[in-house]
Amino acid sequence: MAVSTCPRVFASFECRSDPDFSGYPRHEKPGQGRSFRRVESARLGAAAASYRGLSSRILRFPPNFVRQLSIKARRNCSNIGVAQIVAASWANNSGSGVPAVPTATAVDTATTAAVPAEAGDPVVVPGNGALQVESVPASKEASFLSSDGSLTIHAGERLGRGIVTDAITTPVVNTSAYFFKKTINLIDFKEKRATSFEYGRYGNPTTVVAEEKISALEGAESTVIMASGMCASTIMFMALVPAGGHIVTTTDCYRKTRIFIETVLPKMGISATVIDPADVRALEAALKKHKVSLFFTESPTNPFLRCVDIEFVSKLCHKYGALVCIDGTFATPLNQKALSLGADLVLHSATKYIGGHNDVLAGCISGSLKLVSEIRNLHHVMGGALNPNAAYLIIRGMKTLHLRVQQQNSTGLRMAKVLEAHPKVAHVYYPGLPSHPEHELAKRQMTGFGGVVSFEIDGDLDTTIKFVDSLKIPYIAPSFGGCESIVDQPAIMSYWDLSQADRLKYGIKDTLVRFSIGVEDFEDLKADVLQALDTI
C-alpha cells in the first residue's frame, strides 16, 4: 500500500445552498448603509440578530481561503453569491478542543510525527482550527480498481485525497508557509503529538497528491517529488552515498548525470565505476573490489535504450550490501515496475512521460519509507521544492498517462520497424525489435517498449542535419515523452561541446538521431519520416 510521507492537512470548506435573504432591506442608493444600520435593530428585531449571525458565519472563511482562489475563481464566487461558499465544518470545529488522534499515515519525521493509528481515524491538530486532516481510508488502492489506467486517474484523489473539497480536480494550494493558531499547537507539532504542514519547502497538500499518485503506480511505500529529475538524482546520491563511498553506474546514461558523477561526487570523496549496462561480470567485480553503496542505472538507457536485468542485478547488489536505484524515465511506471523486480528505488524525470505535455519540470523518487525519508530530509535542506502549480500539472498530466503511453508504445514499435527496413537508415535502437541486444530481457520485464526510437542515418553530419530539418511534425528540442513529437541529434544537442573523437568514446555518432514519438497519428508521422528520408 502506498504511504505518503507528508501529512494530509488542509483547511476544509463545504458548499451550501443559497441562504434566503428575502424580506431583508437592500441599499437602494449609495450612502444609505449608515441609516440602515442605525434602524436595523428596530426594524428587524430578532430577525436582524439571526441575519447578523448568518452573515458572521458566511464570512468565516478558512485561513488562506482567498489566497487559494484565483482571481477568476473569486469572481465566479461573487457571481453565484458569496453565501454559497461557507466554511461550515471549519467554523464548527474551530477552537472546539477536539482531542488529537494519531495520524493514519506514516509521516516523515522532518515534518511531523509518525504515530500508528487505525485506518480511517480522523486526524486534527489539537485546538488549531486553521488545520484539518481528512479521515484516511483503510486502503488507498481500492480493490475495485484493477488497472494502472484507473490508478492514474483516481490514486491520491478519489481514493483518499487529504484535501477536503467537493471539486473533482485537486486544488492548488499556493502558500509558502502554514500558520499555527496558538504556540501550544506549534509545540505539539514540534514534539510530534500533532500533524501539520509547516513551511512550503517541507511539503504542500497539492504536492502530496502527486506523490501519492506516483506511489500507487509504482507500488511504493513513499514518493518524494522535486523540482526536476536532476534535482532528484543529485540529492539521492548525496543522501545515500557516504563520504568516501563508491557507486557503480553505466556508460550509456543522461550526460548531465554522468557529469555530476564524474566531477562533483569526487569532491565529496565519492568514487565511481562505470560499466556497460549488460556487463554483469564487471558489476560483480566492482562489488567485490569496493564497498559499493549504490548501483545506479537507467533502464532503458539514454540514448541507446539498453536494458538492465533489474531482478538479477538487485539480487547481486543486495548480496554485497549495495542499494539499487533504477532511473525508469524511458520506461514509465506503466511499462516497467522496477520495485517489484527488486530495485530499492525508482527515479523518474517527471518532466517527460509522467507530466506528458512538455509544460512542467519535475523529478521523483519512489521506494521504501525509510530510504525515501532519508532523501526527503536532505531535500528539505537543499531546497529544490516543486511549485504547487507544477504539482497540479503533474496530477493533470498523469490522468492521461495510460492513454498516451499506449499510443506511444504502439507508434514507437511500428516506427522502429519502418526505420529498420529503410535503406537510408544504418541502425535502429529500440528494445521492441529482435535486433536489440536486450530484446528478450525487455520482453520479460517490460509491458511496452516506450515511445523513443534512436537510429543512425546512413551518411554524415550534414546528411543527418538535412533529414532532421526536412521533418515537418516533430520539434527540434531536448526532451521527450510529451504529446508533441520531438527530434534531436545528440551529437549537436547534448555533446556539441566535445570533439568528434570524444563523442565517439560515448558511442555518439554524428549520424545518431533520437526521435520521441508523440501522440500524433502514426500514418502522419510515418509519411513525414519517409518524405524526410527521401530528401537525403
Side-chain angles (χ1 to χ4, degrees):
M1 182 176 70
V3 179
S4 170
T5 53
C6 276
R8 293 161 163 262
V9 185
F10 197 78
S12 62
F13 65 87
E14 298 178 6
C15 291
R16 295 287 184 265
S17 57
D18 288 327
D20 184 7
F21 291 111
S22 61
Y24 293 108
R26 299 177 180 232
H27 300 303
E28 299 297 329
K29 299 177 183 178
Q32 285 186 333
R34 288 177 177 266
S35 60
F36 168 72
R37 283 192 292 270
R38 283 197 299 268
V39 300
E40 185 181 20
S41 297
R43 295 183 59 185
L44 300 178
S50 172
Y51 172 64
R52 286 195 299 273
L54 179 60
S55 177
S56 174
R57 179 168 178 166
I58 290 171
L59 297 177
R60 291 185 67 180
F61 294 103
N64 303 327
F65 177 75
V66 174
R67 283 180 292 173
Q68 290 162 9
L69 292 176
S70 65
I71 294 174
K72 181 177 180 181
R74 278 180 273 158
R75 192 174 295 134
N76 287 340
C77 286
S78 66
N79 290 341
I80 64 172
V82 174
Q84 281 190 301
I85 304 178
V86 182
S89 63
W90 174 82
N92 291 339
N93 292 333
S94 179
S96 62
V98 180
V101 180
T103 177
T105 59
V107 182
D108 191 329
T109 55
T111 306
T112 185
V115 185
E118 293 297 323
D121 282 349
V123 183
V124 295
V125 178
N128 187 358
L131 302 170
Q132 181 180 352
V133 182
E134 189 184 34
S135 298
V136 181
S139 174
K140 282 175 277 187
E141 294 159 22
S143 59
F144 58 86
L145 297 183
S146 60
S147 71
D148 283 345
S150 297
L151 286 177
T152 61
I153 299 169
H154 293 300
E157 296 182 280
R158 188 175 182 88
L159 302 185
R161 178 168 56 196
I163 303 176
V164 183
T165 173
D166 292 335
I168 292 176
T169 56
T170 294
V172 180
V173 183
N174 277 318
T175 185
S176 60
Y178 307 83
F179 74 87
F180 296 84
K181 187 175 182 181
K182 298 290 183 181
T183 302
I184 186 60
N185 307 132
L186 174 58
I187 294 173
D188 285 340
F189 165 70
K190 291 296 183 180
E191 294 187 354
K192 308 185 191 313
R193 291 190 297 270
T195 182
S196 174
F197 289 97
E198 179 186 10
Y199 186 56
R201 196 171 77 245
Y202 307 150
N204 177 281
T206 309
T207 302
V208 168
V209 171
E211 290 176 341
E212 292 190 348
K213 195 177 285 288
I214 295 168
S215 287
L217 283 181
E218 290 289 5
E221 286 185 339
S222 180
T223 292
V224 58
I225 193 164
M226 304 183 200
S228 70
M230 275 305 298
C231 180
S233 59
T234 55
I235 289 179
M236 184 268 299
F237 286 135
M238 291 188 288
L240 300 182
V241 184
H246 193 87
I247 69 171
V248 179
T249 189
T250 53
T251 51
D252 191 29
C253 67
Y254 179 50
R255 190 184 175 203
K256 293 300 188 294
T257 305
R258 183 165 53 239
I259 288 173
F260 184 82
I261 291 172
E262 294 176 346
T263 64
V264 179
L265 288 183
K267 297 177 182 178
M268 305 175 190
I270 298 172
S271 55
T273 296
V274 183
I275 64 172
D276 183 89
D279 196 345
V280 178
R281 290 183 179 179
L283 172 59
E284 187 167 18
L287 290 167
K288 291 179 177 179
K289 182 178 179 180
H290 306 280
K291 184 175 176 54
V292 177
S293 302
L294 177 71
F295 175 52
F296 174 78
T297 183
E298 301 167 8
S299 187
T301 61
N302 181 17
F304 295 111
L305 304 166
R306 301 288 302 277
C307 297
V308 176
D309 190 334
I310 299 172
E311 184 175 11
F312 182 85
V313 300
S314 296
K315 291 178 180 178
L316 182 61
C317 289
H318 293 161
K319 177 182 175 181
Y320 290 92
L323 297 172
V324 175
C325 179
I326 302 296
D327 183 332
T329 302
F330 276 81
T332 78
L334 301 184
N335 285 336
Q336 181 175 275
K337 304 291 187 183
L339 297 180
S340 67
L341 291 169
D344 300 287
L345 296 164
V346 59
L347 181 148
H348 292 278
S349 171
T351 306
K352 311 304 191 296
Y353 288 103
I354 289 178
H357 290 75
N358 291 317
D359 59 2
V360 63
L361 292 173
C364 62
I365 302 174
S366 303
S368 69
L369 177 62
K370 179 180 181 298
L371 289 176
V372 173
S373 293
E374 290 183 42
I375 299 166
R376 191 187 299 274
N377 288 344
L378 183 60
H379 167 51
H380 290 170
V381 174
M382 299 294 290
L386 188 70
N387 183 282
N389 294 281
Y392 176 83
L393 291 176
I394 294 295
I395 295 166
R396 186 262 352 238
M398 289 186 69
K399 292 179 187 293
T400 59
L401 177 62
H402 61 299
L403 301 176
R404 291 185 283 105
V405 169
Q406 286 172 9
Q407 173 76 0
Q408 289 161 317
N409 285 343
S410 173
T411 303
L413 180 58
R414 295 169 73 184
M415 185 63 72
K417 292 177 178 178
V418 169
L419 289 166
E420 190 172 49
H422 201 282
K424 294 181 182 179
V425 177
H427 192 85
V428 178
Y429 303 92
Y430 189 73
L433 295 176
S435 58
H436 191 278
E438 287 88 43
H439 174 62
E440 292 302 319
L441 170 63
K443 287 200 306 183
R444 286 204 314 270
Q445 68 183 23
M446 301 179 72
T447 56
F449 305 111
V452 175
V453 182
S454 295
F455 55 96
E456 292 165 359
I457 295 294
D458 186 9
D460 56 16
L461 180 66
D462 291 335
T463 305
T464 308
I465 290 174
K466 185 175 182 181
F467 163 75
V468 170
D469 288 349
S470 297
L471 292 166
K472 299 176 182 178
I473 294 177
Y475 294 93
I476 302 173
S479 191
F480 62 90
C483 292
E484 299 85 0
S485 289
I486 283 177
V487 67
D488 77 89
Q489 290 174 255
I492 299 175
M493 185 67 74
S494 303
Y495 292 84
W496 193 242
D497 58 312
L498 300 182
S499 66
Q500 185 182 53
D502 287 338
R503 293 197 294 267
L504 287 173
K505 292 178 182 178
Y506 301 107
I508 306 298
K509 297 181 181 179
D510 290 344
T511 57
L512 180 65
V513 175
R514 191 182 72 175
F515 197 115
S516 171
I517 306 293
V519 295
E520 300 94 345
D521 182 77
F522 166 71
E523 293 299 334
D524 287 340
L525 287 173
K526 175 185 174 182
D528 190 28
V529 168
L530 292 178
Q531 68 81 23
L533 287 170
D534 286 342
T535 66
I536 60 176

